[in-house]
Amino acid sequence: MILIDGKKISEEIRNELKLKIDRLKKESRKLPGLVTILVGDNPASEVYVNMKIKACAQIGMSSKLEKKDAAFSENELLELVESYNNNSDYHGILVQLPLPRHINEDKIIEAVSPSKDVDGFHPVNVGNLVIGKETFFPCTPFGVVELLRRYNIETKGRHVVVVGRSNIVGKPLANLLLQKKEGANAVVTVCHSAARDLRKYTLQADIIIAAMGSPLFIKEDMIKEGAVVIDVGTNRIEDESTPKGYRLCGDVDFENVSKKASYISPSPGGVGPMTIAMLLSNTYLAYTKIENF
Ligand code: GUN
């Protein structure tokens, strides 16, 4: 079994981007910039946003946090997004989800200029992904495909079973892997919570991607010998033996599934760090497009 080390690969990607930014600095060029907008006080969102800002600083990318309290209105947020659509110092705009309930998420996602939509959530970018045109790939699915590519795991003609159909992971990932190009070209099945006999599908997978948000759900009797297993889940489960009273785990029962898998990405330490690396990569891509670089 080979452990897929997302932390190591994400460091490689960040180092590659840092070299590009070092060169821009040496040439006294404008730098790529990311603005992150956080509304409300969701503790998990605060942790994620801080990680994103730290990652920008590490590679020398300029970044700004717009932190607004939970009473910030939908109109105010629409105006804020529009101000960054027109701000040439920022090439990427990330509105951290979930938003407070009084704000319509779809409206906000659609307000972000597709050319600065480094999350790849705007319907125009989603549409471009589905028809195979150039676009921003949502960061987590992009991270999964990049992990497979950097570990030389063949996807062409192989059966990938994606478990989970979210707009952030399952659906874009299935569309990415379907594309008729290098690093994709897979036969894709998407399963979800309404599947009558999930095991019937997962047992056929050459590559299984767990992205349903159910702790330790994928067990060893659900995968075939030698399958590649990618765990996208990050869940908190109670654990009295830890100081915090909980620990993080993925959607895969790693301890047992790893005995049967050929490759396996753990959680934490697999796909998670890749999400941030691909956000930086998308911001650099937005910069090259906007600045005609
Ligand atoms: N919340 C959880 N994941 C994400 C993500 O990838 N992007 C944004 N904007 N919010 C999130």
Side-chain angles (χ1 to χ4, degrees):
M1 181 275 291
I2 294 174
L3 192 71
I4 296 180
D5 188 345
K7 206 162 163 250
K8 187 183 107 204
I9 300 290
S10 81
E11 271 164 27
E12 274 174 31
I13 294 169
R14 283 187 281 159
N15 286 337
E16 290 161 14
L17 289 167
K18 184 174 183 304
L19 288 178
K20 290 180 182 168
I21 292 172
D22 285 347
R23 204 173 312 139
L24 295 173
K25 283 184 178 162
K26 217 185 253 171
E27 293 166 1
S28 303
R29 282 180 187 266
K30 185 177 190 172
L31 297 180
L34 172 72
V35 60
T36 303
I37 302 174
L38 174 63
V39 185
D41 45 21
N42 180 317
S45 290
E46 291 205 13
V47 171
Y48 290 138
V49 162
N50 287 333
M51 285 163 69
K52 289 169 186 176
I53 288 166
K54 220 165 115 188
C56 285
Q58 276 171 352
I59 64 162
M61 185 176 272
S62 60
S63 83
K64 183 167 175 184
L65 170 63
E66 287 280 5
K67 191 170 182 320
K68 304 293 177 190
D69 63 37
F72 202 60
S73 73
E74 185 177 281
N75 273 339
E76 285 173 309
L77 183 54
L78 287 169
E79 277 172 23
L80 184 65
V81 168
E82 187 57 16
S83 74
Y84 281 102
N85 284 339
N86 299 314
N87 183 334
S88 59
D89 289 336
Y90 294 94
H91 307 86
I93 301 172
L94 182 138
V95 183
Q96 186 67 26
L97 304 178
L99 288 166
R101 262 187 297 179
H102 64 277
I103 298 177
N104 180 330
E105 262 177 24
D106 290 344
K107 236 173 158 176
I108 304 302
I109 287 170
E110 286 171 37
V112 175
S113 164
S115 65
K116 296 191 176 187
D117 171 35
V118 287
D119 262 327
F121 292 166
H122 191 289
V124 165
N125 286 326
V126 175
N128 282 336
L129 168 62
V130 173
I131 59 175
K133 279 175 72 177
E134 195 178 357
T135 184
F136 294 107
F137 300 138
C139 303
T140 301
F142 194 8
V144 171
V145 170
E146 195 62 17
L147 276 181
L148 295 172
R149 192 178 75 78
R150 292 196 185 224
Y151 273 85
N152 293 314
I153 296 169
E154 180 68 274
T155 50
K156 183 179 175 185
R158 298 184 84 194
H159 187 192
V160 180
V161 175
V162 179
V163 190
R165 57 174 157 185
S166 70
N167 288 340
I168 292 184
V169 184
K171 283 185 212 158
L173 184 52
N175 280 289
L176 252 172
L177 287 162
L178 264 181
Q179 292 194 343
K180 196 171 180 178
K181 66 173 197 187
E182 189 106 356
N185 224 349
V187 175
V188 182
T189 298
V190 184
C191 293
H192 47 78
S193 51
R196 293 242 169 108
D197 180 6
L198 185 62
R199 200 167 156 266
K200 182 174 92 187
Y201 303 101
T202 57
L203 275 173
Q204 294 177 42
D206 299 312
I207 301 173
I208 172 160
I209 301 175
M212 61 287 200
S214 304
L216 312 176
F217 186 86
I218 301 291
K219 307 285 185 203
E220 73 202 285
D221 66 348
M222 295 171 76
I223 73 156
K224 73 176 177 191
E225 194 74 43
V228 174
V229 180
I230 306 288
D231 191 352
V232 183
T234 309
N235 311 286
R236 275 186 186 187
I237 52 169
E238 273 183 37
D239 186 345
E240 296 299 326
S241 69
T242 67
K244 289 180 178 161
Y246 69 84
R247 68 183 166 91
L248 294 178
C249 72
D251 288 353
V252 174
D253 178 7
F254 181 88
E255 197 182 323
N256 296 308
V257 171
S258 58
K259 293 177 191 150
K260 234 172 149 184
S262 56
Y263 290 80
I264 185 165
S265 78
S267 177
V271 175
M274 291 298 289
T275 298
I276 293 183
M278 302 331 285
L279 169 67
L280 301 175
S281 179
N282 274 350
T283 305
Y284 187 81
L285 176 67
Y287 166 84
T288 60
K289 299 278 173 211
I290 291 169
E291 302 294 336
N292 287 315
F293 184 66

